[in-house]
Amino acid sequence: MLGRAKAWWIPLLLGLLTDLVVLGASLALHEPILRLQVAVSDFIFLANRGPRLGRLPANDQIVLVLYDHASRREMGVLPT
């Protein structure tokens, strides 16, 4: 009986201990982790050495249309 209870508590205690370590590290290292996150995202999306996912060439089939109050006065309400 004691062997089964001991085997049940070991993973639980290891999980709780791991949670406490990760929580403590995230609270103590909040600013460095935030700076690292920004640096990694800048590398991925903007840096010349990175994949530059944020600087993909524009597609000619995409058109930006501005429909403002002047357009509404001129054209009326667009059908939906």
Side-chain angles (χ1 to χ4, degrees):
M1 178 90 172
L2 185 60
R4 287 178 54 195
K6 183 178 178 184
W8 181 78
W9 283 101
I10 290 174
L12 178 67
L13 288 177
L14 287 175
L16 290 174
L17 200 65
T18 303
D19 289 344
L20 288 175
V21 167
V22 170
L23 179 65
S26 67
L27 291 175
L29 303 173
H30 178 71
E31 288 298 320
I33 290 174
L34 191 59
R35 284 196 303 267
L36 178 65
Q37 181 182 5
V38 170
V40 168
S41 67
D42 284 348
F43 174 76
I44 290 173
F45 288 103
L46 303 174
N48 290 332
R49 299 177 326 234
R52 298 179 66 170
L53 297 177
R55 294 185 181 183
L56 296 177
N59 189 339
D60 291 338
Q61 296 177 346
I62 297 174
V63 178
L64 178 63
V65 177
L66 177 65
Y67 187 77
D68 57 359
H69 293 293
S71 301
R72 183 172 183 194
R73 280 194 304 271
E74 186 72 29
M75 299 171 57
V77 178
L78 293 178
T80 57

Coordinates of all heavy atoms in Angstrom, one line a residue:
M1 N 0.8 -1.2 0.0 CA 0.0 0.0 0.0 C 0.9 1.3 0.0 O 0.6 2.2 -0.7 CB -0.9 0.0 1.2 CG -1.8 1.1 1.4 SD -3.3 0.8 0.5 CE -4.2 2.2 1.0
L2 N 1.9 1.2 0.8 CA 2.8 2.4 0.9 C 3.5 2.6 -0.4 O 3.7 3.8 -0.8 CB 3.8 2.2 2.0 CG 4.7 3.4 2.3 CD1 3.8 4.7 2.7 CD2 5.6 3.1 3.4
G3 N 3.9 1.6 -1.1 CA 4.6 1.7 -2.4 C 3.7 2.4 -3.5 O 4.2 3.2 -4.2
R4 N 2.4 2.0 -3.5 CA 1.5 2.6 -4.5 C 1.3 4.1 -4.2 O 1.3 4.9 -5.1 CB 0.2 1.9 -4.5 CG 0.3 0.6 -5.1 CD -1.0 -0.2 -5.1 NE -2.1 0.6 -5.6 CZ -3.3 0.4 -5.5 NH1 -3.7 -0.6 -4.7 NH2 -4.3 1.1 -6.0
A5 N 1.2 4.5 -2.9 CA 1.0 5.9 -2.6 C 2.3 6.7 -2.9 O 2.2 7.8 -3.3 CB 0.6 6.0 -1.1
K6 N 3.4 6.1 -2.6 CA 4.7 6.8 -2.9 C 4.9 7.0 -4.4 O 5.3 8.1 -4.8 CB 5.8 5.9 -2.3 CG 7.2 6.5 -2.4 CD 8.2 5.6 -1.8 CE 9.6 6.2 -2.0 NZ 10.6 5.3 -1.5
A7 N 4.5 6.0 -5.2 CA 4.7 6.2 -6.6 C 3.7 7.2 -7.1 O 4.0 7.9 -8.2 CB 4.4 4.9 -7.3
W8 N 2.6 7.4 -6.5 CA 1.6 8.4 -6.9 C 2.0 9.9 -6.6 O 1.8 10.8 -7.4 CB 0.3 8.1 -6.3 CG -0.8 9.0 -6.6 CD1 -1.5 9.0 -7.8 CD2 -1.4 10.1 -5.9 NE1 -2.5 10.0 -7.8 CE2 -2.4 10.7 -6.6 CE3 -1.1 10.6 -4.6 CZ2 -3.1 11.8 -6.1 CZ3 -1.8 11.7 -4.1 CH2 -2.8 12.3 -4.9
W9 N 2.7 10.0 -5.5 CA 3.1 11.4 -5.0 C 4.4 11.9 -5.7 O 4.5 13.1 -5.8 CB 3.3 11.4 -3.5 CG 2.0 11.4 -2.7 CD1 1.4 10.3 -2.1 CD2 1.2 12.5 -2.5 NE1 0.2 10.7 -1.6 CE2 0.1 12.1 -1.8 CE3 1.3 13.9 -2.9 CZ2 -1.0 13.0 -1.4 CZ3 0.3 14.7 -2.5 CH2 -0.8 14.3 -1.8
I10 N 5.2 11.0 -6.2 CA 6.5 11.5 -6.8 C 6.2 12.3 -8.0 O 6.8 13.4 -8.1 CB 7.4 10.3 -7.0 CG1 7.9 9.7 -5.7 CG2 8.6 10.7 -7.9 CD1 8.7 8.4 -5.9
P11 N 5.4 11.9 -9.0 CA 5.2 12.7 -10.2 C 4.5 14.0 -9.8 O 4.8 15.1 -10.4 CB 4.3 11.9 -11.1 CG 4.5 10.5 -10.6 CD 4.8 10.5 -9.2
L12 N 3.6 14.0 -8.8 CA 2.9 15.2 -8.4 C 3.9 16.2 -7.8 O 3.8 17.4 -8.1 CB 1.8 14.8 -7.4 CG 1.0 16.0 -6.8 CD1 0.2 16.6 -7.9 CD2 0.1 15.6 -5.7
L13 N 4.7 15.7 -6.9 CA 5.7 16.6 -6.3 C 6.7 17.2 -7.3 O 7.0 18.3 -7.3 CB 6.4 15.9 -5.2 CG 5.6 15.6 -3.9 CD1 6.4 14.8 -2.9 CD2 5.1 16.9 -3.3
L14 N 7.1 16.3 -8.2 CA 8.0 16.8 -9.3 C 7.3 17.9 -10.2 O 7.9 18.9 -10.5 CB 8.5 15.6 -10.1 CG 9.5 14.7 -9.5 CD1 9.8 13.5 -10.4 CD2 10.8 15.5 -9.1
G15 N 6.1 17.6 -10.5 CA 5.3 18.6 -11.3 C 5.2 19.9 -10.5 O 5.3 21.0 -11.1
L16 N 4.8 19.9 -9.3 CA 4.7 21.1 -8.5 C 6.0 21.8 -8.3 O 6.1 23.1 -8.4 CB 4.1 20.8 -7.1 CG 2.6 20.4 -7.1 CD1 2.2 19.9 -5.7 CD2 1.7 21.5 -7.6
L17 N 7.1 21.1 -8.1 CA 8.4 21.7 -8.0 C 8.8 22.4 -9.3 O 9.3 23.5 -9.3 CB 9.4 20.6 -7.6 CG 10.7 21.1 -7.0 CD1 10.4 21.8 -5.6 CD2 11.6 20.0 -6.8
T18 N 8.5 21.7 -10.4 CA 8.8 22.3 -11.7 C 8.0 23.6 -11.9 O 8.5 24.6 -12.4 CB 8.5 21.3 -12.8 OG1 9.3 20.1 -12.6 CG2 8.9 21.8 -14.2
D19 N 6.7 23.5 -11.5 CA 5.9 24.7 -11.7 C 6.4 25.9 -10.8 O 6.5 27.0 -11.3 CB 4.5 24.4 -11.2 CG 3.7 23.6 -12.2 OD1 4.2 23.4 -13.4 OD2 2.7 23.0 -11.8
L20 N 6.9 25.6 -9.6 CA 7.4 26.7 -8.8 C 8.7 27.2 -9.3 O 8.9 28.4 -9.3 CB 7.6 26.1 -7.4 CG 6.4 25.9 -6.5 CD1 6.7 25.2 -5.2 CD2 5.6 27.2 -6.3
V21 N 9.6 26.4 -9.9 CA 10.8 26.9 -10.5 C 10.5 27.7 -11.7 O 11.1 28.8 -11.8 CB 11.7 25.7 -10.9 CG1 12.9 26.1 -11.7 CG2 12.2 25.0 -9.6
V22 N 9.6 27.3 -12.6 CA 9.3 28.1 -13.8 C 8.6 29.4 -13.4 O 8.9 30.5 -13.9 CB 8.4 27.3 -14.7 CG1 7.9 28.1 -15.8 CG2 9.2 26.1 -15.3
L23 N 7.7 29.4 -12.4 CA 7.0 30.6 -12.0 C 8.0 31.5 -11.4 O 8.0 32.7 -11.6 CB 5.9 30.2 -11.0 CG 5.2 31.4 -10.4 CD1 4.4 32.1 -11.5 CD2 4.3 31.0 -9.3
G24 N 8.9 31.0 -10.5 CA 9.9 31.9 -9.9 C 10.9 32.5 -10.9 O 11.2 33.7 -10.9
A25 N 11.3 31.7 -11.9 CA 12.2 32.2 -13.0 C 11.4 33.3 -13.8 O 12.0 34.3 -14.2 CB 12.6 31.1 -13.9
S26 N 10.2 33.1 -14.1 CA 9.4 34.1 -14.9 C 9.2 35.4 -14.2 O 9.2 36.4 -14.7 CB 8.1 33.5 -15.4 OG 7.2 33.3 -14.3
L27 N 9.0 35.3 -12.8 CA 8.8 36.5 -12.1 C 10.2 37.2 -11.9 O 10.2 38.4 -11.9 CB 8.2 36.2 -10.7 CG 6.8 35.7 -10.7 CD1 6.3 35.3 -9.3 CD2 5.9 36.8 -11.3
A28 N 11.2 36.5 -11.6 CA 12.5 37.1 -11.4 C 13.2 37.6 -12.6 O 13.9 38.6 -12.6 CB 13.4 36.1 -10.7
L29 N 12.9 36.9 -13.8 CA 13.6 37.3 -15.0 C 12.6 37.9 -16.0 O 12.8 37.7 -17.2 CB 14.3 36.0 -15.6 CG 15.3 35.4 -14.7 CD1 15.7 34.1 -15.3 CD2 16.5 36.3 -14.5
H30 N 11.6 38.6 -15.6 CA 10.6 39.1 -16.5 C 11.2 40.0 -17.5 O 10.9 39.8 -18.7 CB 9.5 39.8 -15.7 CG 8.4 40.4 -16.5 ND1 7.5 39.7 -17.2 CD2 8.2 41.7 -16.9 CE1 6.7 40.5 -17.9 NE2 7.1 41.7 -17.7
E31 N 12.0 41.0 -17.2 CA 12.5 41.9 -18.1 C 13.5 41.3 -19.1 O 13.4 41.5 -20.3 CB 13.2 43.1 -17.4 CG 12.2 44.1 -16.8 CD 11.3 44.7 -17.7 OE1 11.8 45.1 -18.8 OE2 10.1 44.9 -17.4
P32 N 14.4 40.4 -18.7 CA 15.3 39.8 -19.6 C 14.6 38.9 -20.6 O 14.9 38.8 -21.8 CB 16.3 39.0 -18.8 CG 16.3 39.6 -17.5 CD 14.9 40.2 -17.3
I33 N 13.5 38.2 -20.1 CA 12.7 37.3 -21.0 C 12.0 38.1 -22.0 O 11.9 37.8 -23.2 CB 11.8 36.4 -20.1 CG1 12.6 35.4 -19.4 CG2 10.8 35.7 -21.0 CD1 11.8 34.5 -18.4
L34 N 11.4 39.3 -21.6 CA 10.7 40.2 -22.5 C 11.7 40.7 -23.6 O 11.3 40.7 -24.8 CB 10.1 41.3 -21.7 CG 9.1 42.2 -22.4 CD1 7.9 41.3 -23.0 CD2 8.6 43.2 -21.5
R35 N 12.9 41.1 -23.2 CA 13.9 41.6 -24.1 C 14.3 40.5 -25.1 O 14.4 40.8 -26.3 CB 15.1 42.2 -23.4 CG 14.9 43.5 -22.8 CD 16.2 44.2 -22.4 NE 17.0 43.4 -21.5 CZ 16.9 43.5 -20.2 NH1 16.2 44.4 -19.6 NH2 17.7 42.8 -19.4
L36 N 14.4 39.3 -24.6 CA 14.8 38.2 -25.5 C 13.7 37.9 -26.5 O 13.9 37.6 -27.6 CB 15.1 36.9 -24.6 CG 15.4 35.7 -25.4 CD1 16.7 35.8 -26.2 CD2 15.5 34.5 -24.5
Q37 N 12.4 38.0 -26.0 CA 11.3 37.7 -26.9 C 11.2 38.8 -28.0 O 11.0 38.4 -29.2 CB 10.0 37.8 -26.1 CG 8.8 37.5 -26.9 CD 7.5 37.6 -26.1 OE1 7.5 37.9 -24.9 NE2 6.4 37.3 -26.7
V38 N 11.5 40.0 -27.7 CA 11.5 41.1 -28.7 C 12.7 40.9 -29.7 O 12.5 41.1 -30.9 CB 11.5 42.5 -28.0 CG1 11.8 43.6 -29.0 CG2 10.2 42.7 -27.3
A39 N 13.8 40.5 -29.2 CA 15.0 40.3 -30.0 C 14.7 39.2 -31.0 O 15.1 39.3 -32.2 CB 16.2 40.1 -29.2
V40 N 14.2 38.1 -30.5 CA 13.9 37.0 -31.4 C 12.9 37.3 -32.4 O 13.0 37.0 -33.6 CB 13.4 35.7 -30.6 CG1 12.9 34.6 -31.4 CG2 14.6 35.2 -29.7
S41 N 11.8 38.0 -32.1 CA 10.8 38.4 -33.1 C 11.3 39.4 -34.1 O 11.0 39.3 -35.2 CB 9.5 38.9 -32.4 OG 9.8 40.2 -31.7
D42 N 12.2 40.3 -33.6 CA 12.9 41.2 -34.6 C 13.7 40.4 -35.6 O 13.8 40.7 -36.8 CB 13.7 42.3 -33.8 CG 12.9 43.3 -33.2 OD1 11.7 43.4 -33.5 OD2 13.4 44.1 -32.4
F43 N 14.5 39.4 -35.1 CA 15.3 38.6 -35.9 C 14.4 37.9 -37.0 O 14.8 37.9 -38.1 CB 16.1 37.6 -35.1 CG 16.9 36.7 -36.0 CD1 18.1 37.1 -36.6 CD2 16.5 35.4 -36.2 CE1 18.8 36.2 -37.4 CE2 17.2 34.5 -37.0 CZ 18.3 34.9 -37.6
I44 N 13.3 37.3 -36.5 CA 12.5 36.5 -37.4 C 11.8 37.4 -38.5 O 11.7 37.0 -39.6 CB 11.5 35.7 -36.6 CG1 12.2 34.6 -35.9 CG2 10.4 35.1 -37.5 CD1 11.3 33.8 -34.9
F45 N 11.3 38.6 -38.0 CA 10.5 39.3 -38.9 C 11.2 40.5 -39.7 O 10.8 40.8 -40.8 CB 9.3 39.9 -38.2 CG 8.3 38.9 -37.8 CD1 8.2 38.4 -36.5 CD2 7.4 38.4 -38.7 CE1 7.3 37.5 -36.2 CE2 6.5 37.4 -38.4 CZ 6.4 36.9 -37.1
L46 N 12.3 41.0 -39.1 CA 12.9 42.2 -39.7 C 14.3 42.1 -40.1 O 14.8 42.8 -41.0 CB 12.7 43.4 -38.7 CG 11.2 43.7 -38.3 CD1 11.2 44.8 -37.3 CD2 10.4 44.1 -39.5
A47 N 15.1 41.4 -39.4 CA 16.6 41.4 -39.6 C 17.0 40.9 -40.9 O 16.4 40.0 -41.5 CB 17.3 40.5 -38.5
N48 N 18.0 41.5 -41.5 CA 18.5 41.1 -42.8 C 19.1 39.7 -42.8 O 19.0 39.0 -43.8 CB 19.6 42.1 -43.3 CG 19.1 43.5 -43.6 OD1 17.9 43.6 -44.0 ND2 19.8 44.5 -43.4
R49 N 19.6 39.2 -41.7 CA 20.2 37.9 -41.6 C 19.1 36.8 -41.4 O 19.3 35.7 -41.6 CB 21.2 37.8 -40.5 CG 22.4 38.7 -40.6 CD 23.3 38.6 -39.4 NE 22.5 38.3 -38.2 CZ 22.5 39.1 -37.1 NH1 23.4 40.0 -37.0 NH2 21.8 38.8 -36.1
G50 N 17.9 37.3 -40.9 CA 16.9 36.3 -40.6 C 16.0 36.0 -41.8 O 16.3 36.5 -42.9
P51 N 14.9 35.3 -41.6 CA 14.0 35.0 -42.7 C 13.2 36.1 -43.2 O 12.6 36.0 -44.3 CB 13.1 33.9 -42.1 CG 13.2 34.0 -40.7 CD 14.6 34.6 -40.4
R52 N 13.1 37.2 -42.5 CA 12.5 38.5 -42.9 C 11.0 38.2 -43.3 O 10.5 38.6 -44.3 CB 13.2 39.1 -44.1 CG 14.6 39.5 -43.7 CD 15.3 40.1 -44.9 NE 14.6 41.4 -45.2 CZ 15.1 42.2 -46.1 NH1 16.2 42.0 -46.6 NH2 14.4 43.3 -46.3
L53 N 10.3 37.5 -42.4 CA 8.9 37.2 -42.6 C 8.0 38.5 -42.6 O 6.9 38.5 -43.2 CB 8.4 36.2 -41.6 CG 9.1 34.9 -41.6 CD1 8.5 34.0 -40.5 CD2 8.9 34.2 -42.9
G54 N 8.5 39.6 -42.0 CA 7.7 40.8 -42.0 C 7.9 41.7 -43.2 O 7.3 42.7 -43.4
R55 N 8.8 41.3 -44.1 CA 9.2 42.1 -45.3 C 9.0 41.3 -46.6 O 9.8 41.3 -47.5 CB 10.6 42.6 -45.2 CG 10.9 43.5 -44.1 CD 12.3 44.0 -44.2 NE 12.5 44.9 -43.1 CZ 13.7 45.5 -42.9 NH1 14.7 45.3 -43.7 NH2 13.9 46.3 -41.9
L56 N 7.9 40.6 -46.7 CA 7.6 39.9 -47.9 C 7.1 40.9 -49.0 O 6.5 41.9 -48.7 CB 6.5 38.9 -47.6 CG 6.8 37.8 -46.7 CD1 5.6 36.8 -46.4 CD2 8.0 37.0 -47.2
P57 N 7.5 40.6 -50.2 CA 7.1 41.6 -51.3 C 5.6 41.6 -51.4 O 4.9 40.6 -51.2 CB 7.7 41.0 -52.5 CG 8.0 39.6 -52.2 CD 8.2 39.5 -50.7
A58 N 5.1 42.8 -51.8 CA 3.6 43.0 -52.0 C 3.1 42.2 -53.2 O 3.8 42.1 -54.2 CB 3.3 44.5 -52.1
N59 N 1.9 41.7 -53.1 CA 1.3 41.0 -54.2 C 0.6 42.1 -55.1 O -0.2 42.9 -54.5 CB 0.4 40.0 -53.7 CG -0.1 39.0 -54.7 OD1 -0.1 39.4 -55.9 ND2 -0.6 37.9 -54.3
D60 N 0.7 42.0 -56.4 CA 0.0 43.0 -57.3 C -1.5 42.8 -57.3 O -2.3 43.6 -57.7 CB 0.5 42.9 -58.7 CG 2.0 43.4 -58.8 OD1 2.4 44.2 -57.9 OD2 2.7 43.0 -59.7
Q61 N -2.0 41.6 -56.8 CA -3.4 41.3 -56.8 C -4.1 41.9 -55.6 O -5.3 41.9 -55.5 CB -3.6 39.8 -56.9 CG -3.1 39.2 -58.2 CD -3.3 37.7 -58.2 OE1 -3.6 37.1 -57.2 NE2 -3.2 37.1 -59.4
I62 N -3.4 42.5 -54.7 CA -4.0 43.0 -53.5 C -4.1 44.5 -53.6 O -3.1 45.2 -54.0 CB -3.1 42.7 -52.2 CG1 -3.1 41.2 -52.0 CG2 -3.7 43.4 -51.0 CD1 -2.2 40.8 -50.9
V63 N -5.3 45.1 -53.4 CA -5.5 46.5 -53.6 C -6.1 47.0 -52.3 O -7.1 46.5 -51.8 CB -6.5 46.8 -54.8 CG1 -6.8 48.2 -54.9 CG2 -5.9 46.2 -56.1
L64 N -5.6 48.2 -51.8 CA -6.1 48.8 -50.7 C -7.1 49.9 -51.1 O -6.8 50.8 -51.9 CB -5.0 49.5 -49.8 CG -5.4 50.2 -48.6 CD1 -6.1 49.3 -47.6 CD2 -4.2 50.9 -48.0
V65 N -8.3 49.8 -50.6 CA -9.4 50.7 -51.0 C -9.8 51.5 -49.8 O -10.1 50.9 -48.8 CB -10.6 49.9 -51.6 CG1 -11.7 50.9 -52.0 CG2 -10.2 49.1 -52.9
L66 N -9.9 52.8 -50.0 CA -10.3 53.6 -48.9 C -11.8 54.1 -49.2 O -12.0 54.6 -50.2 CB -9.4 54.9 -48.7 CG -9.8 55.9 -47.7 CD1 -9.8 55.3 -46.3 CD2 -9.0 57.1 -47.8
Y67 N -12.7 53.7 -48.3 CA -14.1 54.1 -48.4 C -14.4 55.0 -47.2 O -14.7 54.5 -46.1 CB -15.0 52.9 -48.5 CG -16.4 53.2 -48.8 CD1 -16.8 53.5 -50.1 CD2 -17.4 53.2 -47.8 CE1 -18.1 53.8 -50.4 CE2 -18.7 53.5 -48.1 CZ -19.0 53.7 -49.4 OH -20.3 54.0 -49.7
D68 N -14.4 56.3 -47.4 CA -14.6 57.2 -46.3 C -16.0 57.9 -46.5 O -16.8 57.6 -47.3 CB -13.5 58.2 -46.1 CG -13.2 58.9 -47.4 OD1 -13.9 58.7 -48.4 OD2 -12.3 59.8 -47.4
H69 N -16.2 59.0 -45.7 CA -17.4 59.8 -45.8 C -17.6 60.4 -47.2 O -18.7 60.5 -47.7 CB -17.5 60.8 -44.7 CG -17.6 60.2 -43.3 ND1 -18.7 59.5 -42.9 CD2 -16.7 60.2 -42.3 CE1 -18.5 59.0 -41.7 NE2 -17.3 59.5 -41.3
A70 N -16.5 60.9 -47.7 CA -16.6 61.5 -49.1 C -17.0 60.5 -50.1 O -17.8 60.8 -51.0 CB -15.3 62.2 -49.4
S71 N -16.4 59.3 -50.0 CA -16.8 58.3 -51.0 C -18.3 57.9 -50.8 O -19.0 57.6 -51.8 CB -15.9 57.0 -50.7 OG -14.6 57.3 -50.9
R72 N -18.7 57.9 -49.6 CA -20.1 57.5 -49.3 C -21.1 58.6 -49.9 O -22.1 58.2 -50.5 CB -20.4 57.3 -47.8 CG -21.7 56.9 -47.5 CD -21.9 56.6 -46.1 NE -23.3 56.1 -45.9 CZ -23.8 55.9 -44.7 NH1 -23.2 56.2 -43.6 NH2 -25.0 55.5 -44.6
R73 N -20.7 59.8 -49.7 CA -21.5 60.9 -50.3 C -21.6 60.8 -51.8 O -22.6 61.0 -52.5 CB -21.0 62.3 -49.9 CG -21.4 62.7 -48.5 CD -21.1 64.2 -48.3 NE -19.7 64.6 -48.6 CZ -18.7 64.5 -47.7 NH1 -19.0 64.1 -46.5 NH2 -17.5 64.9 -48.0
E74 N -20.4 60.5 -52.4 CA -20.3 60.4 -53.9 C -21.0 59.1 -54.5 O -21.7 59.2 -55.5 CB -18.8 60.4 -54.3 CG -18.6 60.5 -55.8 CD -18.9 61.8 -56.4 OE1 -18.8 62.8 -55.7 OE2 -19.2 61.8 -57.6
M75 N -20.8 58.0 -53.8 CA -21.2 56.7 -54.4 C -22.5 56.2 -53.7 O -23.1 55.3 -54.2 CB -20.1 55.7 -54.2 CG -18.9 56.1 -55.0 SD -17.5 55.0 -54.7 CE -18.1 53.4 -55.1
G76 N -22.8 56.7 -52.5 CA -23.9 56.1 -51.8 C -23.5 54.9 -51.0 O -22.3 54.6 -50.9
V77 N -24.4 54.3 -50.4 CA -24.1 53.1 -49.5 C -23.8 51.9 -50.4 O -24.6 51.6 -51.3 CB -25.3 52.8 -48.6 CG1 -25.0 51.6 -47.7 CG2 -25.6 54.0 -47.7
L78 N -22.7 51.2 -50.1 CA -22.4 50.1 -50.9 C -23.3 48.9 -50.5 O -23.6 48.7 -49.4 CB -20.9 49.6 -50.7 CG -19.9 50.6 -51.2 CD1 -18.5 50.1 -50.8 CD2 -20.0 50.8 -52.7
P79 N -23.7 48.1 -51.5 CA -24.5 46.9 -51.2 C -23.6 45.9 -50.4 O -22.5 45.8 -50.7 CB -24.9 46.4 -52.5 CG -23.9 46.9 -53.5 CD -23.4 48.2 -52.9
T80 N -24.3 45.2 -49.5 CA -23.5 44.2 -48.8 C -23.8 42.8 -49.3 O -24.7 42.5 -50.0 CB -23.9 44.2 -47.3 OG1 -25.3 44.0 -47.2 CG2 -23.6 45.5 -46.7

